[in-house]
Amino acid sequence: MSILNKYQNFYFIGIGGIGMSALARFFHANGKNVLGYDKTPTKLTAQLGFEGIDISFEDLIDEKIIAFNKEETLVIYTPAIKKLAILDYFASESFEILKRAKVLGLITENTDCIAVAGTHGKTTTSTLIAHLCKEANLPSSAFLGGISENFKSNFDYNGNQFSVVEADEYDRSFLNLSPDWAVVTSIDADHLDIYGDRVQIEDGFRQFASLVPNDNQLFVRKGIAIGREHLTYAVNEEADYYSDNLRMDHDKIYFDFHTPTEEINDFVWEIPGIHNVENATVALAILSNLGIDFETLKKAIASFKGIKRRYTKHIFDNGKIYIDDYAHHPTELNAVIGSIKTFYPTKKLLVVFQPHLFSRTRDFAEDFARSLEKADDLLLLDIYPARELQENFEGITSAWLSDKIEIENKKVCTLHETFELIKEKEFDILLTVGAGNIDTLYDGIVEWLPNIEKVSI
């Protein structure tokens, strides 16, 4: 692989990001000298340090940076970093500097790349494909947008023949990839701050699909118009590959899987939701096309534990249920809340939601309102701004969104006061949901919730 051969040192600016850290782990696994900078220490940066990756949290040109030979060093950055003395130094000294998406694209040029794209479902699907590859002992590397409960990481390394990549549509990053196999799970409107409108984002996905050289290696959820020949997959309706006969028994989901030529019965796993069976369907389709036998795939599916913050569920002895999820788009909210209401129709649901981005809140306000009205009680946190500034979105606040939500039990609050407000509520199921820093509530909730009074199940 040329990028591995050309450089010995890899410096990551913004190394704590989910996509950046996976790349850092890849080069570290290949014996390279990996260092980086991030603004704030997190659990993820702490784990990277434990794995042997050197991270600085100060924007200083230290002796390690000065010692780099530019011919042997690649600097990798994320566009989220706008201004940094370290980045300015590397630029002034004529170091090779590339965006994360470009580097990931270079890696995929030299592997059999399986790329998973979609506005929803891509993290679960790519992580499941990576898990199946590992269980089948395929020589593969996985670059994921979430933390696999099996790998305990967003990266897995078992060789370089295959790469499994979560193909990110933001900033059209996925157009840098060289996919040999690809999945398109969904093309709902999102990231309208980048694409402008639904037509443009759909066109972006069609450009991505056009990168796949073989029609029979492009898998698209049935009903999506992708602009070229492809294979389809679905749940509870016929397609080239589909699953049906879904049933639940003691928190396990059973389903049957159909290929164009055969039917394989009784796959079983613990991942809830019809949408997740849909993700499993396309993962099975790809792995079976790679020649993996169905007995191996059945065992691999059964051992899949999911992804952190994708319907992470705790059932406590006192009868309380806690679910934590990354959903930050109305379609995702509908999926997670819908699954809860399907499996627990009589239980009182408290939803704690943190909107992510002013632009997304503005663009999908009515849809967010309809999704959140399915809660029995709602705590609505302040909008997490990420890369945006409130001054550019006057009037777009959680209070503004709350006015559109037609339920009686609702309250707007800050992250700081949320935990104490949760303690005052009566509920059977607690759902914390969002893509910002709402995850900082998780440890406290898991410690507190099993110790409160017992409830009926």
Side-chain angles (χ1 to χ4, degrees), residues 164-445:
V164 181
V165 176
E166 178 170 331
D168 186 6
E169 73 275 10
Y170 178 73
D171 201 25
R172 295 180 173 82
S173 292
F174 57 1
L175 299 183
N176 289 279
L177 302 176
S178 297
D180 300 283
W181 303 75
V183 177
V184 177
T185 65
S186 52
I187 57 172
D188 292 345
D190 198 6
H191 300 303
L192 299 185
D193 55 323
I194 297 295
Y195 288 93
D197 58 30
R198 179 184 295 274
V199 172
Q200 291 301 312
I201 194 167
E202 290 177 355
D203 182 64
F205 277 98
R206 292 189 183 101
Q207 290 180 54
F208 167 76
S210 73
L211 300 175
V212 183
N214 188 329
D215 293 343
N216 292 321
Q217 293 178 195
L218 172 62
F219 297 78
V220 180
R221 184 174 59 80
K222 187 175 181 179
I224 295 176
I226 207 65
R228 60 167 288 183
E229 293 296 316
H230 59 274
L231 296 174
T232 60
Y233 70 95
V235 170
N236 289 333
E237 61 175 317
E238 290 190 10
D240 293 313
Y241 295 83
Y242 67 99
S243 295
D244 62 7
N245 194 21
L246 278 64
R247 60 264 190 211
M248 185 173 182
D249 185 11
H250 293 90
D251 269 351
K252 291 185 183 293
I253 307 294
Y254 291 77
F255 61 93
D256 301 336
F257 175 68
H258 303 257
T259 79
T261 59
E262 58 186 318
E263 175 181 332
I264 304 91
N265 296 324
D266 297 329
F267 282 86
V268 57
W269 67 349
E270 298 183 1
I271 310 300
I274 293 174
H275 62 292
N276 280 321
V277 176
E278 194 172 78
N279 298 332
T281 300
V282 71
L284 291 170
I286 288 178
L287 269 291
S288 62
N289 273 275
L290 290 175
I292 307 304
D293 66 273
F294 284 111
E295 284 306 309
T296 297
L297 293 176
K298 275 192 174 183
K299 292 176 182 177
I301 283 282
S303 66
F304 183 61
K305 298 178 181 177
I307 304 102
K308 286 187 183 296
R309 303 216 65 233
R310 267 62 172 190
Y311 210 94
T312 299
K313 182 170 69 172
H314 300 270
I315 301 176
F316 299 107
D317 290 341
N318 59 12
K320 297 288 189 182
I321 298 173
Y322 173 42
I323 298 168
D324 182 45
D325 196 272
Y326 188 74
H328 54 286
H329 185 281
T331 301
E332 297 165 344
L333 280 176
N334 288 336
V336 66
I337 296 174
S339 290
I340 293 170
K341 291 293 187 179
T342 297
F343 294 124
Y344 307 103
T346 64
K347 292 188 178 294
K348 184 176 182 180
L349 173 63
L350 168 61
V351 174
V352 182
F353 176 58
Q354 182 184 50
H356 185 265
L357 296 178
F358 300 112
S359 59
R360 184 182 285 118
T361 305
R362 175 199 63 198
D363 294 339
F364 302 105
E366 298 298 333
D367 293 329
F368 275 124
R370 303 295 82 78
S371 299
L372 294 169
E373 284 168 358
K374 298 170 186 175
D376 299 300
D377 201 343
L378 173 66
L379 292 177
L380 185 60
L381 277 64
D382 290 338
I383 297 170
Y384 185 80
R387 56 188 176 269
E388 297 179 341
L389 299 174
Q390 175 73 80
E391 64 194 55
N392 295 328
F393 298 90
E394 185 177 352
I396 306 302
T397 65
S398 288
W400 170 80
L401 176 60
S402 179
D403 288 342
K404 300 177 181 294
I405 302 170
E406 297 180 359
I407 58 173
E408 182 177 351
N409 298 316
K410 61 180 180 178
K411 182 178 178 62
V412 175
C413 58
T414 65
L415 177 65
H416 178 72
E417 62 188 334
T418 300
F419 191 23
E420 293 304 315
L421 290 172
I422 291 172
K423 291 180 178 180
E424 297 173 3
K425 297 289 186 178
E426 293 184 8
F427 59 87
D428 302 310
I429 302 175
L430 169 62
L431 169 65
T432 52
V433 63
N437 58 355
I438 191 173
D439 63 319
T440 58
L441 296 172
Y442 178 87
D443 289 341
I445 290 171

